[in-house]
Amino acid sequence: MKLTVLKLLWSRNGCSVARTVLSRSFLVLAVATLIYWLLCGVFCGFGISGLIVWPAAAVLLVALSLWISDKPPFRRLRTHRWLRRTVAVFLAAVMLYCAVVLGLIVSGMTATPPQNADYIIVLGAKVNGERPSLALHWRIQRAYEYLSQNPGTRAILSGGKGQGESISEAESMYRELTALGIAPSRLILEDKSTSTEENIRYSYAKMPEGE
């Protein structure tokens, strides 16, 4: 009897400790995610495509922390099993979505592009006045490296003029790349787009038919 009681107490205490550790771990991850989002926004611009994933992930992590620790409003779900399961499925689905989006972003960042392409599209990012932001600077450098290694490739520089920008993102990229030694004849400006969807659509329109 005593052994059974001890096992029960150990099981309950172990579960409680595990919940506390897991709950606090999710909170730490949420704070780290928000800090990363703020740093990206400050140094690279909050207009970067996909940046919204990070605050969304932080909110999800906080919700998971409250769920695991059985804090309000999730405590009320104890008496409604069907609702508790529905919320669990919803949180799991959102978490899976964020993980897939993050995986696609990371895989795209690390992918090796094919060599000797006819065209590459360089997407714009925030311009501080006339100076490229850190995010745009990195994209310009990657474009310069590719164009230097593939002399037959032309680049479509895509990005319009946004709030706080004295020149278009396309013009900023053009100036930087020509200053690095890339021939102007290899650069095509697309300076009307205001979103990633327009970046792609307007850039394809700049290509000759059949390319």
Side-chain angles (χ1 to χ4, degrees):
M1 181 67 179
K2 290 182 179 180
L3 182 60
T4 302
V5 172
L6 286 174
K7 285 183 177 180
L8 182 60
L9 289 173
W10 183 89
S11 176
R12 287 177 177 174
N13 290 335
C15 183
S16 177
V17 170
R19 280 188 174 190
T20 300
V21 171
L22 196 57
S23 175
R24 291 179 179 177
S25 298
F26 278 128
L27 282 178
V28 171
L29 285 174
V31 172
T33 300
L34 282 176
I35 291 174
Y36 179 78
W37 170 66
L38 287 171
L39 290 174
C40 286
V42 170
F43 291 103
C44 305
F46 286 100
I48 299 176
S49 300
L51 197 62
I52 190 64
V53 170
W54 298 105
V59 171
L60 176 62
L61 288 168
V62 171
L64 286 173
S65 175
L66 295 175
W67 172 274
I68 292 169
S69 60
D70 210 20
K71 296 287 181 64
F74 297 108
R75 184 180 297 169
R76 298 178 182 178
L77 299 180
R78 281 183 175 180
T79 57
H80 303 283
R81 182 175 297 180
W82 66 271
L83 185 57
R84 192 180 183 93
R85 289 178 177 175
T86 301
V87 173
V89 170
F90 173 76
L91 290 176
V94 174
M95 189 173 184
L96 179 61
Y97 171 79
C98 290
V100 170
V101 171
L102 180 59
L104 291 173
I105 293 173
V106 173
S107 64
M109 291 171 60
T110 58
T112 301
Q115 299 298 302
N116 300 313
D118 293 326
Y119 293 90
I120 61 170
I121 300 174
V122 187
L123 302 182
K126 183 175 176 59
V127 175
N128 298 314
E130 296 187 2
R131 297 181 59 185
S133 63
L134 188 57
L136 187 56
H137 171 74
W138 289 337
R139 295 181 184 185
I140 292 170
Q141 290 301 314
R142 289 295 300 272
Y144 170 71
E145 292 171 5
Y146 187 91
L147 292 170
S148 298
Q149 297 168 4
N150 300 271
T153 300
R154 301 183 70 189
I156 299 176
L157 312 177
S158 181
K161 180 181 174 182
Q163 186 176 3
E165 299 176 338
S166 300
I167 59 175
S168 69
E169 296 164 7
E171 177 65 26
S172 178
M173 290 187 282
Y174 178 86
R175 292 182 183 183
E176 295 293 320
L177 286 170
T178 52
L180 289 170
I182 301 299
S185 59
R186 299 177 63 193
L187 305 175
I188 302 172
L189 274 68
E190 184 289 293
D191 57 2
K192 303 300 181 184
S193 57
T194 58
S195 66
T196 303
E197 186 272 333
E198 289 182 352
N199 283 143
I200 302 302
R201 182 153 51 92
Y202 295 169
S203 294
Y204 271 110
K206 292 284 186 178
M207 297 181 187
E209 290 189 16
E211 293 289 348

